[in-house]
Amino acid sequence: MSPAARLRGLKPDWISDPRVWRTEVLAGLVVALALIPEAISFSIIAGVDPAIGLFASFTMAVVISVVGGRRAMISAATGAVALVIAPLNQEHGLGHLIAAVILAGVFQVALGALGVAKLMRFIPRSVMVGFVNALAILIFMAQVPELHDVPWAVYPLLAGGLALLVFFPKVTTVVPAPLVSIVVLTVVTVAAGVAVPTVGEKGELPSSLPVPGLPDVPFTFDTLTTIAPYAFAMALVGLMESLMTAKLVDDITDTRSDKTRESIGQGVANIVTGFFGGMGGCAMIGQTMINVKVSGARTRLSTFLAGVFLMVLCVVFGPVVSDIPMAALVAVMVMVSFATFDWHSTAPGTLRRMPAGEIGVMAVTVVAVVATHNLAIGVVVGSLTAMVVFARRVAHLAEVTAVTDPDGTTVVYRVTGELFFASSNDLVGRFDYAGDPAKVVVDLSAAHVWDASSVAALDAIETKYAQRGKTVEITGLNAPSADLHGRLTGALTGGH
């Protein structure tokens, strides 16, 4: 390949393809519009000025577009992060909050370098489906307050926005339907002078760009001990939501992402955000769905422009953006909720075929997320439930069958299955210690010994036979099982 050809191969798609460029630019604009009310709302949750959330959304999106491991994913100020750091801001003030954001970024870089992203492979599919469905429910629930105790004109505006979102893509996909819906509803409300809730009523938009600086806190050990618990909790919640979102985007786009790079990138983005006075954040699932699933974006350009457009809209076009009716953005988010929910997972035919345990895990994940409004907690609870279900299922796979020699001097017990703490607990009770002949053979050629609990169970079996003057021979251990048994047998209870 010639140098020129190699150079062309290194160029991003949006440089060489105008259609991709158009899609990415318009997607970034739509996401920026959707980010404004969300960032203001999360600022209120955290107890800070709306500009703090908007600055965070700007810096997070711009930085992660460069250092992140998942293209087209949107990172900004989020509700989960706001909930974690709100008590710190309430008790100690904004300076401590900013310092915690920077420390959280340091924790995320360290956790990313240690390979925390590899833990994603232990999250079962049923938890992932529950996570997605719970996310869709939360997105919808977040729109309900915008439809309560509002002027009647909000409802026809919402209906019109939904109609545009459904039918406009059937006419053309050159311009994203969400952008058309927002523009049309804004023009209608302004031209007709309709009094409905607008973006401007959520909070005052910033009139200047953020400037870097150090947090206003004493640089002492007491400060560190104060912010460290909040910073670590923020780091974990942020990584959990970001990695789950990255995995979701992987599935939607049928591409792979670098989860380790994404983990470290989230940390770098939070460090930069902290130094620019932002409240920190992580991947935003709703806005990511707007970018990837609704608008069709696939490159880093859309993420970068979402941040840039956000600040341009606030600083330059603040009065215009303030006139956007909330009904337009609610319509977009309702459509995102509908598109995000995995309807196939709840279809009667699917539920009839799925094991009850899998359905239970999915349901527990959804309930935990919706009850706590915390996606990270839901994933942890769902994963723990899946582990319990799996352990109970596998525990019953260990079978024991006995065959006595014709001469009556030897009995062979054949053990089949996986021996670990759950299955080995019942193993000791499957032998006839009093009635068996003097020689007992335990054949493990069709089994695998996984842990110390299983070795302890085998030791207990030998002890019980020895107390009756009988001998036990354990045979058929595969190499890993023999190695584990050889190292631990007799050492767990002080001998047979």
Side-chain angles (χ1 to χ4, degrees):
M1 181 182 296
S2 67
R6 283 197 298 270
L7 184 60
R8 285 195 299 271
L10 292 173
K11 288 183 179 179
D13 293 339
W14 55 270
I15 290 180
S16 55
D17 190 338
R19 292 173 300 177
V20 174
W21 183 86
R22 182 182 63 241
T23 298
E24 300 296 312
V25 171
L26 293 177
L29 180 57
V30 173
V31 171
L33 290 168
L35 275 174
I36 293 173
E38 294 276 310
I40 295 174
S41 298
F42 298 146
S43 300
I44 295 171
I45 293 173
V48 299
D49 187 89
I52 304 298
L54 290 165
F55 288 159
S57 297
F58 162 62
T59 53
M60 287 292 298
V62 169
V63 175
I64 204 67
S65 69
V66 177
V67 301
R70 172 64 260 178
R71 292 181 297 172
M73 190 165 76
I74 304 297
S75 289
T78 59
V81 168
L83 288 171
V84 170
I85 59 179
L88 178 63
N89 180 62
Q90 185 177 0
E91 294 176 18
H92 300 280
L94 180 62
H96 281 73
L97 183 151
I98 300 300
V101 170
I102 296 172
L103 183 58
V106 174
F107 282 144
Q108 288 177 327
V109 171
L111 290 170
L114 290 173
V116 69
K118 295 178 182 177
L119 297 176
M120 286 296 296
R121 67 178 183 270
F122 294 108
I123 297 178
R125 182 186 179 279
S126 53
V127 174
M128 187 68 191
V129 173
F131 167 85
V132 170
N133 290 344
L135 160 67
I137 294 171
L138 286 184
I139 292 174
F140 182 82
M141 289 174 60
Q143 313 313 310
V144 174
E146 304 295 339
L147 303 175
H148 178 67
D149 195 21
V150 293
W152 68 268
V154 167
Y155 303 109
L157 284 173
L158 175 65
L162 290 172
L164 283 170
L165 290 167
V166 172
F167 295 110
F168 188 80
K170 300 181 185 299
V171 178
T172 179
T173 57
V174 172
V175 182
L179 181 59
V180 173
S181 178
I182 292 170
V183 171
V184 169
L185 294 190
T186 302
V187 170
V188 168
T189 55
V190 172
V194 181
V196 293
T198 62
V199 170
E201 296 176 17
K202 284 290 184 179
E204 186 178 352
L205 302 181
S207 57
S208 61
L209 295 174
V211 294
L214 294 175
D216 184 18
V217 294
F219 292 91
T220 63
F221 183 73
D222 287 341
T223 300
L224 180 62
T225 56
T226 299
I227 67 174
Y230 295 96
F232 192 66
M234 176 184 163
L236 292 179
V237 168
L239 284 181
M240 180 78 74
E241 291 210 20
S242 299
L243 293 176
M244 289 293 287
T245 306
K247 189 173 187 301
L248 179 60
V249 178
D250 289 353
D251 294 339
I252 292 173
T253 61
D254 196 25
T255 58
R256 296 183 64 183
S257 58
D258 187 337
K259 305 297 191 303
T260 297
R261 177 178 173 179
E262 181 62 35
S263 301
I264 296 173
Q266 287 290 328
V268 173
N270 272 305
I271 292 171
V272 173
T273 296
F275 282 120
F276 275 90
M279 58 179 277
C282 62
M284 285 195 82
I285 306 177
Q287 275 63 22
T288 297
M289 290 300 99
I290 293 175
N291 197 45
V292 174
K293 202 164 188 177
V294 178
S295 301
R298 291 294 183 270
T299 77
R300 297 178 185 274
L301 179 63
S302 57
T303 306
F304 176 82
L305 289 179
V308 172
F309 284 149
L310 174 64
M311 278 294 97
V312 171
L313 289 169
C314 291
V315 175
V316 181
F317 299 102
V320 176
V321 173
S322 296
D323 287 335
I324 296 175
M326 284 302 300
L329 298 175
V330 169
V332 172
M333 297 311 293
V334 168
M335 186 58 66
V336 169
S337 171
F338 184 85
T340 301
F341 195 90
D342 187 348
W343 297 99
H344 176 73
S345 68
T346 57
T350 303
L351 295 176
R352 281 195 300 268
R353 289 192 296 270
M354 283 182 64
E358 300 284 318
I359 297 173
V361 169
M362 182 174 67
V364 166
T365 304
V366 171
V367 171
V369 171
V370 173
T372 63
H373 284 233
N374 190 313
L375 293 163
I377 290 177
V379 170
V380 171
V381 172
S383 298
L384 291 175
T385 304
M387 290 170 60
V388 173
V389 171
F390 174 76
R392 286 177 59 85
R393 184 184 302 163
V394 177
H396 299 293
L397 296 181
E399 298 292 337
V400 180
T401 56
V403 178
T404 304
D405 281 358
D407 58 7
T409 60
T410 304
V411 62
V412 178
Y413 284 92
R414 181 175 175 81
V415 181
T416 303
E418 308 298 321
L419 299 182
F420 67 113
F421 62 90
S423 59
S424 61
N425 286 335
D426 297 330
L427 187 65
V428 179
R430 307 289 288 275
F431 293 81
D432 184 6
Y433 301 102
D436 282 340
K439 184 177 180 181
V440 177
V441 176
V442 180
D443 181 7
L444 297 176
S445 57
H448 188 99
V449 178
W450 286 102
D451 59 8
S453 297
S454 303
V455 176
L458 294 173
D459 284 354
I461 292 168
E462 293 187 75
T463 300
K464 288 180 178 295
Y465 276 116
Q467 289 171 348
R468 293 167 174 78
K470 301 175 182 180
T471 61
V472 176
E473 180 184 1
I474 296 178
T475 64
L477 287 167
N478 57 34
S481 299
D483 177 65
L484 182 65
H485 184 264
R487 285 188 288 111
L488 297 180
T489 185
L492 300 172
T493 58
H496 300 327

